[in-house]
Amino acid sequence: MTANTGTAVPTTTAFVRGHRRTGSDVQFIERTRQDAQQSMGKELQKLILTAPTSQQDLARTELAGFEQLFGRYLQETGPSVLWDKIKLLPEGGHLNRTHGTDVPLVLMNSFNTDEDTLKVLQRYGKLQLQIHTFNQSRYPRINRESLLPIGNSFTSDNTESWYPPGHGDVYQSLVNSGLLKQFLDSGKKYVFISNIDNLGATVDLNILNFLMEQEQPPEFVMEVTDKTRADVKGGTLVEYEGKLRLLEIAQVPKEHVDEFKSVSKFKIFNTNNLWISLDAIKRVTDDQSLHMEIIVNPKTLDNGVNVIQLETAVGAAIKSFEGAMGINVPRRRFLPVKTTSDLLIVMSNLYSLHTGALQMNPKRSFPQGPLVKLGSHFSKVKDYLSRFSSIPDMLELDHLTVSGDVTFGKNVSLKGTVIIIANHGDRIDIPAGALLENKIVSGNLRILDH
């Protein structure tokens, strides 16, 4: 049996997750799958009828995508890749005002972020810039035991019953919003997609010109960059059965995980900066040839119910497009800010803003930024900001670890490797103007205001 074919096994025996099955076993498994699919279909129809009449068409469209994803989840078993088939790739290598163009900014929200995003965008109403927003689909969380939705109403205010299904939903949601047709009708050819937290992701005219100059331009380009030890879990591009494929750690057999993490073997990773043909998106969504591996995300709700979310990743669709390729880009195009540790780096004198893009300070001796690990006292942005009277000088910093109740005075300089640890019940106040170079600070240091 070949994994991920999406078809029933026509033989009398099959191997499912490594176990040999008899013909009766296969029939039982297939009947169970059909029952689960039919039960889910009935529950989804009930949910659609709970939506207001004006929203039922939208609900039907969104849940059709979920039903298809759920069917694949029931059908597909075993690993999504066979390790021996993986081949490494060969070695290789503000916009509108400047160029008089009208490139729109498009933000994909979920039902969790839409309202807050619209509030923020009100501040930029006077800018000469088209800003579009659209929502990704809203899928029902599935009870892990019954394999049925935990919600009973499409309009329920109980947001725990629903989830946004990952950024792989961007393709169908772009179609459902009407924006794909609008952009195609206006003559647009490509969309540049990136994670909103990647502050290094800007429109690179070198890549755009490359696309436009090709006689047969690729339908899909993924920006990759050199892997460091901080990126060992990131997805990488490989060749698989003659096509480019994004290999994520979740797809790797356990016995090969250490091999996958090897910086010497898998040297690049996916930045999730993607250039995709709009015509091609229309084609693969129209003919339903878009295929992305299912990410099963288990969660336990506050009420103790165990649920699963079926998600997909946007880059996994690379194998569904013609002429897809990866381009190795400088590390500066991958600058994600997911934690306050990341935020400290970009707020410091290591970076400055030039024409809408963050650039590393040329006085920095090394091309990479420092490794920064801030403890739980800094995890919330409000707490993080309250602990710095000013952002330290970090131009010559290699490594910073801070744990416990620690505050920083004004004009502190950090160089080399600095470790600051305040044990439980202790507090450390780094005094204003302090220079810490290759230092370990621990214990208790309290500076009182006068």
Side-chain angles (χ1 to χ4, degrees):
M1 171 178 146
T2 303
N4 288 333
T5 58
T7 57
V9 183
T11 56
T12 56
T13 61
F15 295 91
V16 181
R17 292 193 177 95
H19 299 286
R20 192 173 188 274
R21 304 292 189 186
T22 64
S24 59
D25 286 339
V26 172
Q27 292 175 358
F28 175 77
I29 292 170
E30 178 61 17
R31 182 56 187 267
T32 302
R33 186 195 68 78
Q34 291 176 357
D35 288 346
Q37 184 82 63
Q38 290 172 0
S39 297
M40 176 62 77
K42 292 177 182 178
E43 291 300 312
L44 294 180
Q45 289 303 314
K46 293 178 184 178
L47 283 174
I48 291 169
L49 294 177
T50 67
T53 304
S54 60
Q55 296 182 23
Q56 286 190 5
D57 285 344
L58 175 61
R60 189 171 289 106
T61 299
E62 288 191 354
L63 294 182
F66 170 79
E67 189 170 11
Q68 184 180 46
L69 189 66
F70 181 73
R72 283 184 50 209
Y73 166 71
L74 294 176
Q75 182 71 51
E76 296 171 6
T77 59
S80 60
V81 296
L82 299 177
W83 191 254
D84 292 341
K85 289 189 175 184
I86 290 173
K87 296 181 182 179
L88 298 180
L89 301 182
E91 300 282 350
H94 290 306
L95 185 67
N96 288 340
R97 184 184 304 172
T98 303
H99 299 280
T101 57
D102 189 22
V103 177
L105 172 66
V106 185
L107 303 175
M108 182 173 78
N109 286 301
S110 71
F111 60 87
N112 291 318
T113 61
D114 183 52
E115 188 175 334
D116 288 337
T117 299
L118 293 178
K119 288 178 181 177
V120 172
L121 291 180
Q122 289 176 359
R123 305 176 195 169
Y124 303 95
K126 295 182 180 180
L127 288 180
Q128 298 300 308
L129 172 67
Q130 291 185 54
I131 302 179
H132 302 276
T133 66
F134 68 99
N135 277 12
Q136 63 183 122
S137 301
R138 188 174 73 150
Y139 282 179
R141 282 176 167 156
I142 306 168
N143 186 299
R144 203 182 305 176
E145 304 301 324
S146 68
L147 290 183
L148 293 175
I150 64 169
N152 54 19
S153 173
F154 193 81
T155 58
S156 172
D157 292 331
N158 180 16
T159 56
E160 277 204 332
S161 299
W162 304 88
Y163 72 97
H167 45 55
D169 186 56
V170 66
Y171 303 104
Q172 192 61 53
S173 290
L174 197 59
V175 174
N176 295 345
S177 69
L179 285 173
L180 180 67
K181 182 179 187 304
Q182 180 179 328
F183 294 148
L184 285 170
D185 290 346
S186 65
K188 300 289 191 296
K189 297 294 183 183
Y190 276 87
V191 59
F192 173 62
I193 298 177
S194 68
N195 291 349
I196 199 167
D197 59 33
N198 182 4
L199 302 189
T202 57
V203 174
D204 188 321
L205 294 183
N206 294 315
I207 297 177
L208 185 59
N209 287 332
F210 167 78
L211 293 173
M212 294 297 98
E213 290 168 359
Q214 302 303 305
E215 188 173 325
Q216 288 187 317
E219 293 183 343
F220 190 111
V221 169
M222 175 181 289
E223 294 185 30
V224 297
T225 195
D226 293 343
K227 184 190 286 190
T228 68
R229 294 195 180 277
D231 314 309
V232 294
K233 293 183 179 180
T236 189
L237 274 186
V238 296
E239 183 184 330
Y240 192 84
E241 296 184 332
K243 281 199 167 187
L244 278 186
R245 183 163 179 169
L246 178 64
L247 179 65
E248 300 278 11
I249 193 169
Q251 301 166 247
V252 177
K254 290 182 180 180
E255 63 270 23
H256 293 288
V257 167
D258 288 341
E259 188 179 348
F260 173 83
K261 291 181 178 179
S262 169
V263 177
S264 60
K265 180 169 184 177
F266 294 96
K267 300 179 180 180
I268 58 173
F269 77 99
N270 170 31
T271 67
N272 228 31
N273 296 345
L274 309 171
W275 303 75
I276 310 176
S277 161
L278 292 173
D279 283 318
I281 292 177
K282 184 178 188 306
R283 186 189 74 245
V284 298
T285 51
D286 283 351
D287 62 20
Q288 297 187 345
S289 61
L290 195 63
H291 187 279
M292 295 167 282
E293 283 74 25
I294 298 173
I295 302 169
V296 181
N297 187 358
K299 289 183 178 292
T300 301
L301 304 184
D302 292 341
N303 60 6
V305 175
N306 293 321
V307 299
I308 56 174
Q309 299 178 181
L310 305 182
E311 304 173 6
T312 56
V314 60
I318 188 171
K319 62 182 179 293
S320 299
F321 293 86
E322 298 299 324
M325 65 169 56
I327 294 181
N328 199 322
V329 298
R331 181 76 184 194
R332 64 176 179 268
R333 290 189 58 75
F334 182 70
L335 192 61
V337 177
K338 298 181 182 293
T339 66
T340 53
S341 300
D342 301 327
L343 186 60
L344 179 62
I345 293 174
V346 298
M347 289 181 68
S348 75
N349 58 343
L350 286 163
Y351 288 94
S352 57
L353 195 63
H354 293 279
T355 60
L358 283 173
Q359 294 183 2
M360 181 168 280
N361 193 322
K363 295 181 181 179
R364 170 79 174 173
S365 301
F366 306 100
Q368 287 86 24
L371 180 62
V372 173
K373 296 180 179 179
L374 301 179
S376 59
H377 286 73
F378 294 78
S379 58
K380 294 182 179 179
V381 173
K382 181 181 178 181
D383 295 336
Y384 155 85
L385 293 173
S386 71
R387 292 182 175 275
F388 291 97
S389 297
S390 67
I391 302 300
D393 173 359
M394 297 167 52
L395 197 58
E396 298 179 39
L397 179 69
D398 299 321
H399 182 141
L400 172 66
T401 294
V402 183
S403 177
D405 188 359
V406 179
T407 64
F408 291 80
K410 291 183 178 180
N411 304 318
V412 172
S413 295
L414 306 173
K415 298 183 179 183
T417 297
V418 178
I419 300 173
I420 306 171
I421 300 176
N423 295 321
H424 182 70
D426 291 340
R427 172 172 164 176
I428 295 177
D429 294 333
I430 305 299
L435 168 61
L436 300 179
E437 182 172 4
N438 295 321
K439 294 288 185 183
I440 298 177
V441 181
S442 63
N444 191 53
L445 177 61
R446 185 78 183 270
I447 298 176
L448 301 176
D449 294 330
H450 295 286

